[in-house]
Amino acid sequence: MARRWIDETAVLADDEGLRFHPSIRKDPLGWDEVRHIRAESRFGAMQLHIRTVAGKRFRITPCDHDEVRALVTRFAAMRDET
């Protein structure tokens, strides 16, 4: 977690899928592996909830509000295209 004080970006989204900050210790997820993403603000901290096609669920917190909202919007747009 101390490394995230320097680099606050918990999750990056690119054309391939989601990549996580090394302190989170999660392997990257391709977009085809992601079933659902949602953002939730709890006690002033933004959380990202991810559900995979394989049924795994996990929560990434704390996250930057703007980055998480953009990620959720991007995922929704991608799902609407299919």
Side-chain angles (χ1 to χ4, degrees):
M1 190 66 166
R3 289 172 60 186
R4 292 240 333 257
W5 290 344
I6 297 168
D7 177 10
E8 295 180 359
T9 303
V11 182
L12 291 173
D14 58 24
D15 291 338
E16 302 297 317
L18 301 174
R19 291 182 290 127
F20 303 98
H21 190 277
S23 66
I24 295 173
R25 296 184 180 143
K26 298 255 184 243
D27 291 331
L29 288 173
W31 287 119
D32 59 337
E33 298 176 82
V34 179
R35 174 170 286 161
H36 184 75
I37 296 177
R38 73 178 172 90
E40 179 180 32
S41 181
R42 292 186 54 121
F43 308 111
M46 183 63 82
Q47 300 177 347
L48 180 66
H49 296 263
I50 301 169
R51 186 172 22 161
T52 67
V53 173
K56 292 183 181 179
R57 296 175 186 222
F58 51 94
R59 179 183 63 200
I60 308 297
T61 188
C63 297
D64 179 80
H65 291 296
D66 295 332
E67 289 176 2
V68 169
R69 287 188 181 112
L71 192 151
V72 170
T73 301
R74 179 179 182 172
F75 182 74
M78 287 173 44
R79 289 296 175 208
D80 288 345
E81 290 177 1
T82 58

